[in-house]
């Protein structure tokens, strides 16, 4: 039964979405849309680890997974052959999980009123240390609630501030472009190409 299932798709040699949340017992379908076999390797903590090879274009017969226990943190999955293909899975015993959009916004529908404790996590640094262990409390009122804008410093995510990160433009040699943004020689020396993607 795939009616309430979540899905992770392999398309063009990568996993999508990059971050997925499921509840205990909810089916997770791993679909290979590509014309070549693709590996799915999940390193779980509370659940069994999975390492499976999916046949080419196995959309009609995807890898079907269910989890018996919740995970305290998101666990990573990857392909052992296509090392750039990675993602994260969070298994919870309740549906109250939010994954932020690229602009940082998120929503968590149907959260019951009352005081709740939330935990913020980021793939680069783990718990968002703007709050101790990523934990903060907020009272949910009946109806729509809004946390407002929460501004976090780049250091919280393991990034340097903009002023520290950009040397004066006249001293920089552009050697390429990534997603429309220039790549400079000093960036490659400092952090390697991987950090630019």
């Amino acid at each position: 039964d795939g009616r309430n299932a979540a899905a992770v798709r392999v398309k063009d040699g990568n996993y999508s979405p990059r971050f997925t949340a499921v509840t205990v017992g909810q089916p997770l379908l791993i679909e290979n849309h590509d014309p070549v076999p693709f590996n799915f390797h999940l390193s779980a903590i509370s659940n069994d680890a999975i390492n499976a090879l999916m046949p080419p274009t196995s959309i009609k017969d995807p890898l079907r997974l269910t989890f018996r226990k919740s995970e305290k943190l998101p666990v990573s999955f990857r392909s052992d052959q296509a090392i750039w293909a990675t993602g994260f899975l969070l298994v919870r015993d309740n549906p109250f999980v939010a994954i932020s959009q690229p602009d940082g916004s998120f929503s968590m529908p149907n959260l019951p009123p009352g005081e709740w404790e939330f935990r913020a996590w980021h793939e680069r640094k783990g718990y968002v240390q703007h709050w101790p262990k990523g934990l903060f409390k907020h009272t949910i009122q009946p109806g729509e609630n809004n946390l407002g804008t929460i501004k976090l410093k780049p250091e919280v995510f393991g990034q340097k501030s903009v002023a520290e990160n950009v040397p004066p433009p006249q001293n920089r040699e552009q050697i390429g472009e990534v997603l429309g943004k220039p790549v400079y020689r000093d960036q490659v020396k400092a952090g390697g190409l991987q950090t630019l993607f």
Side-chain angles (χ1 to χ4, degrees):
D1 179 18
R3 285 176 289 175
N4 296 325
V8 173
R9 294 168 184 85
V10 174
K11 190 162 177 61
D12 300 326
N14 219 333
Y15 288 113
S16 177
R18 182 164 168 73
F19 197 108
T20 304
V22 295
T23 55
V24 171
Q26 179 184 10
L28 174 65
L29 308 179
I30 314 296
E31 303 172 351
N32 184 3
H33 291 244
D34 283 354
V36 296
F38 211 83
N39 171 249
F40 179 81
H41 190 165
L42 175 73
S43 302
I45 297 167
S46 300
N47 293 281
D48 293 333
I50 297 155
N51 195 354
L53 186 64
M54 296 175 289
T57 55
S58 53
I59 304 163
K60 292 182 181 175
D61 188 22
L63 179 62
R64 296 172 186 273
L65 307 172
T66 54
F67 301 92
R68 295 177 288 120
K69 298 177 184 175
S70 65
E71 296 282 351
K72 185 176 179 182
L73 295 170
V75 292
S76 64
F77 59 84
R78 67 181 188 277
S79 167
D80 294 327
Q81 293 86 16
I83 58 172
W84 59 86
T86 61
F88 293 90
L89 176 69
L90 181 60
V91 183
R92 299 293 298 156
D93 54 7
N94 65 67
F96 303 120
V97 174
I99 299 168
S100 63
Q101 299 299 313
D103 66 359
S105 64
F106 65 90
S107 65
M108 197 177 297
N110 304 318
L111 191 60
E115 185 179 55
W116 286 84
E117 186 173 66
F118 298 87
R119 173 165 269 153
W121 182 89
H122 187 271
E123 69 176 271
R124 186 183 295 262
K125 293 296 280 184
Y127 295 135
V128 177
Q129 293 297 333
H130 178 74
W131 306 277
K133 296 185 181 177
L135 292 171
F136 64 94
K137 290 185 178 181
H138 187 75
T139 301
I140 301 299
Q141 304 293 338
E144 193 169 314
N145 291 259
N146 189 336
L147 288 174
T149 300
I150 301 169
K151 293 188 177 185
L152 303 175
K153 294 182 178 182
E155 293 83 2
V156 170
F157 304 102
Q159 299 290 311
K160 294 180 181 178
S161 68
V162 173
E164 295 173 26
N165 215 11
V166 181
Q170 68 272 14
N171 297 340
R172 304 184 88 189
E173 178 188 358
Q174 184 174 343
I175 60 169
E177 194 173 284
V178 175
L179 299 175
K181 295 182 180 178
V183 176
Y184 297 99
R185 184 171 301 285
D186 57 278
Q187 290 175 298
V188 175
K189 288 179 183 175
L193 289 173
Q194 185 177 2
T195 60
L196 301 175
F197 291 88

